[in-house]
């Protein structure tokens, strides 16, 4: 099974537990909204990195790695649903279809995000039969990179401050779930998470620059969501700061640093290749050399 | 230390980890909002029940019981913050002060709820150093009673359905966190959770009837939140259905059943007394015999 199939299967298994199709006793629209928010998936970049790191480290408990990949993707989907709400980005489109609050309703979008967050932790707790110590470590890392004071909630929270700590903002808003990806991948395979921090943080930085490039270069149809949002909302953007060529050079520098940071492990070479391949997918055609 | 002090200390310890006072590197308003949403506390009924059950079962790992009590209260506070949002009840007041979205903003209220949910699971994961097996069991029970398909998110989700399964609705909307309270209390002390289901479910039913009584009898000033909301929103209410005396009689019947359901344990008598005392606090003065 390829990585994408493995991730999709793990996400579907988790979703089916929370929102069983055609079962009575659960509210139907919310059940439907949970599936709608997570499938069909986007690029599944975070769980792909997670599984790639787990495999580079031996992946000796694949059921735990699968649960970790699903949990991370569920949190990411939850964050997209809440970020799209009218009180944040008020986005009409996500992944080329109406955002959850447009397709269902605002109350159901709030509940979808909440339910997906909870399901992420439940999925890891259920994987504990395999190894309770690894499961609680995974829960702790995921919570740290998701909540306060340094996770993606903190990242969104910075947008309500009069003075933004830009480094803390970028690290928590975009970097946190990439740090979760690399650290959870290592933990799933029984390795220490700390040496994997830099790889996640640097991929997060690269992703931020790539996102800035896409926001500046692509159309709404190409992105599946509105383009030009950074300029419209006055948000910092690497292209505005460095120009197009400068931003691409910056992205390549960060990637080289990311690859150099990979800790010594059995699957180091394959992992470096995966990081490069994911990055190539992120650079918009108009910005490639 | 009394139960209330013990709960307040546990909640404050958890909050201080997520939202350290006066520390830079975290968004200040969101940090402030987390504390605002949880302190000063309301009646802390759910964690009081949790700790009472743990103590009735021997409370052999008080640090785990404290973490469980804090986690349950954090989830309850998160649910109040999200339920008060404009797209749900649009409540201006909560516990006698402005609701979180009125005091801060709607984006910060969404993020406060999200952060508190995550913090609940993080708090349990951190307690795992004491006993990882108990910690993951606690996480699983809390997630089941909070998310989909049968937790409080499901309860809110029923309000978006054209046809409501009333039994599933009440059980998930109000009963779920009381089931979590009794089952997590037992689990914290190393006991099986299943025998404690009925006690939680029946306390939940009693609480629902008491809430209906308060909504019908009390003023906004007494409740610290708007009164008469059930009638205003066309929601089912035991007083409308059974009359005032009928609803009080119903409440007493449910409580007797709850007390009779308490599994045999060392602290059975004290626990029965606590359940009766909590219930007495809930019955509004105007409805007492």
């Amino acid at each position: 099974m390829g990585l994408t199939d493995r991730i999709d299967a793990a996400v579907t298994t988790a979703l089916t537990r929370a929102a069983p199709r055609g079962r009575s006793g659960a509210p139907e629209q919310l059940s439907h909204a949970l599936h709608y928010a997570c499938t069909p998936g986007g690029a599944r970049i975070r769980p792909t990195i997670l599984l790639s790191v787990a495999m580079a480290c031996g992946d000796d408990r694949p059921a735990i790695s699968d649960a970790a990949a699903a949990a991370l993707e569920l949190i990411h989907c939850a964050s997209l649903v809440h970020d799209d709400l009218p009180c944040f980005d008020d986005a009409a489109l996500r992944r080329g279809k109406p955002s959850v609050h447009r397709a269902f309703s605002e109350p159901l979008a709030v509940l979808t995000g909440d339910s997906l967050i909870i399901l992420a932790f439940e999925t890891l707790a259920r994987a504990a039969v395999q190894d309770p110590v690894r499961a609680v470590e995974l829960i702790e890392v995921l919570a740290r990179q998701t909540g306060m004071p340094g996770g993606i909630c903190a990242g969104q929270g910075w947008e309500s401050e009069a003075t933004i700590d830009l480094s803390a903002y970028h690290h928590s808003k975009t970097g946190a779930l990439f740090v979760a990806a690399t650290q959870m991948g290592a933990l799933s395979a029984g390795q220490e998470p700390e040496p994997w921090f830099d790889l996640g943080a640097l991929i997060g930085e690269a992703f931020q620059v790539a996102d800035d490039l896409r926001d500046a270069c692509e159309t709404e149809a190409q992105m599946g969501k509105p383009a030009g949002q950074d300029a419209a909302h006055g948000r910092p953007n690497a292209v505005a700061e460095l120009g197009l060529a400068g931003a691409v050079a910056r992205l390549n520098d960060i990637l080289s640093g990311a690859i150099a940071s990979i800790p010594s492990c059995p699957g180091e070479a394959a992992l470096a290749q995966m990081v490069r391949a994911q990055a190539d997918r992120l650079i918009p055609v108009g910005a490639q050399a």
Side-chain angles (χ1 to χ4, degrees), chain A residues 52-58 186 191 196 199 262-272:
Chain A
S52 301
V53 171
M55 289 165 75
C57 293
Q191 300 302 307
W196 293 88
L199 177 61
I262 296 176
S264 172
C265 61
E268 202 177 325
L271 185 57

Side-chain angles (χ1 to χ4, degrees), chain A residues 157-165:
Chain A
W158 277 112
E159 296 185 6
S160 294
E161 293 294 316
T163 312
I164 296 187
D165 176 335

